[in-house]
Amino acid sequence: MDVGAMGREAQKYVWEGAIPLQIHLHESEVTTLPHPSPALVLAPRMGYLPLLLPLLKPHFSSTLPPGVDTIWFEYKGLPLKWHIPTGVLFDLLCAEQERPWNLTVHFRGYPGNILTPCEGEDSVKWSFINSLKEAAYIVNGNCKNVMNMSQSDQVELWYSVLNGNMEAYQRVSSKLKLEKVGDQYVGKPNSNLLKSRTNTGETDTGGPVKTGRIPVRLYVWSVSKDFDDLEDAPQIDSWDQISYINRPVEIQREGKLRQMLHLT
């Protein structure tokens, strides 16, 4: 199977991924009887929770108390960081992979001591753009490509995320050159690597190698006790237990043999 085709298929799989959510309005914001039914939403993994406002506000508006709407979510008492994609939040916080994922939504009482301010779609958009700048800096040592984007490209890029349009995203993001590729020379095959590939029919030969770097953000969950199964993991009840690391990951392409994956 062609590695490039496999990579595109994996991207498509991620972009089309979604998580079923069952969203309850917090009881402190319910002003009518009977209580409103939960909202059932299929949320894109690549999306962001505040962007669900146009779906959730009409569902709960008739029962909300007077005040200014500022949407935020919690899971088992933990306010959810709005700038982290929904799929990442789910994988990070929901070890048992519950479906639907039961969340609580608030429109009042924003926890400014825990969450950074969110003023709707604009805040989410600029957080996304800032993440792109970080990615560009990790790969290229600067973020000029992102900062110099035309207004039309910036709008198209954001709407591709908003609408889950992978083709439009790739069309614009390709201009940002977030995968730095160059040539290196390999004089000898790596014996350990060669040994590990004996069973796959791959061989290594000296010669030019295409190397590249892709930016990766790793979320690290610190736990204070041992457990044998993820289902036995302690609940995350504070963001102090989570840290993240930004770093580049090196990739190599060594010609056609590198482009083949032998399945056994």
Side-chain angles (χ1 to χ4, degrees):
M1 181 182 294
D2 187 280
V3 173
M6 193 168 67
R8 288 189 293 274
E9 186 66 23
Q11 281 185 310
K12 185 172 182 290
Y13 184 80
V14 172
W15 273 84
E16 293 179 351
I19 299 168
L21 304 180
Q22 183 167 260
I23 301 175
H24 305 260
L25 180 64
H26 193 269
E27 59 183 13
S28 67
E29 300 178 30
V30 176
T31 62
T32 60
L33 289 175
H35 284 206
S37 61
L40 300 176
V41 178
L42 195 60
R45 289 186 64 91
M46 298 283 289
Y48 298 85
L49 290 175
L51 301 180
L52 299 178
L53 178 62
L55 296 175
L56 298 179
K57 179 63 188 300
H59 187 84
F60 295 117
S61 60
S62 63
T63 191
L64 290 174
V68 177
D69 297 332
T70 306
I71 193 170
W72 59 283
F73 297 80
E74 68 172 82
Y75 176 59
K76 294 185 177 181
L78 178 69
L80 300 182
K81 294 195 172 185
W82 55 265
H83 60 274
I84 298 178
T86 304
V88 178
L89 286 171
F90 178 71
D91 294 338
L92 189 62
L93 301 175
C94 192
E96 297 181 16
Q97 299 285 290
E98 66 180 67
R99 289 182 176 84
W101 192 22
N102 284 276
L103 301 181
T104 300
V105 65
H106 298 255
F107 293 86
R108 307 287 184 268
Y110 192 82
N113 59 323
I114 299 175
L115 304 179
T116 56
C118 180
E119 298 176 0
E121 183 183 325
D122 276 350
S123 291
V124 182
K125 172 185 174 181
W126 289 115
S127 175
F128 173 78
I129 295 297
N130 283 333
S131 292
L132 276 182
K133 291 178 182 177
E134 290 181 10
Y137 189 86
I138 290 170
V139 173
N140 301 316
N142 64 72
C143 53
K144 293 178 181 178
N145 290 342
V146 178
M147 295 181 68
N148 293 335
M149 287 177 66
S150 68
Q151 184 65 27
S152 60
D153 279 351
Q154 192 179 104
V155 170
E156 184 178 2
L157 186 70
W158 173 240
Y159 275 99
S160 71
V161 174
L162 205 58
N163 299 320
N165 188 332
M166 185 180 76
E167 289 76 16
Y169 178 84
Q170 290 177 330
R171 184 167 56 250
V172 181
S173 65
S174 63
K175 302 177 185 180
L176 302 179
K177 296 180 174 59
L178 294 182
E179 182 183 319
K180 187 174 183 179
V181 179
D183 286 334
Q184 285 186 356
Y185 183 81
V186 178
K188 295 181 179 180
N190 182 308
S191 59
N192 291 329
L193 188 60
L194 182 60
K195 182 178 179 180
S196 69
R197 291 181 180 168
T198 301
N199 294 329
T200 67
E202 290 190 48
T203 59
D204 288 276
T205 59
V209 178
K210 287 289 186 182
T211 64
R213 306 170 75 195
I214 56 174
V216 172
R217 173 171 291 178
L218 303 174
Y219 285 89
V220 181
W221 172 23
S222 301
V223 294
S224 56
K225 65 177 184 180
D226 296 332
F227 55 88
D228 297 324
D229 195 296
L230 274 178
E231 295 183 0
D232 301 323
Q235 180 181 323
I236 298 175
D237 53 17
S238 169
W239 285 105
D240 291 338
Q241 297 171 256
I242 304 294
S243 58
Y244 70 84
I245 303 168
N246 292 330
R247 61 176 301 168
V249 171
E250 302 292 336
I251 58 174
Q252 290 190 354
R253 299 168 180 164
E254 297 184 22
K256 292 183 178 179
L257 288 177
R258 292 284 191 181
Q259 303 301 313
M260 299 300 293
L261 176 63
H262 297 271
L263 302 177
T264 58

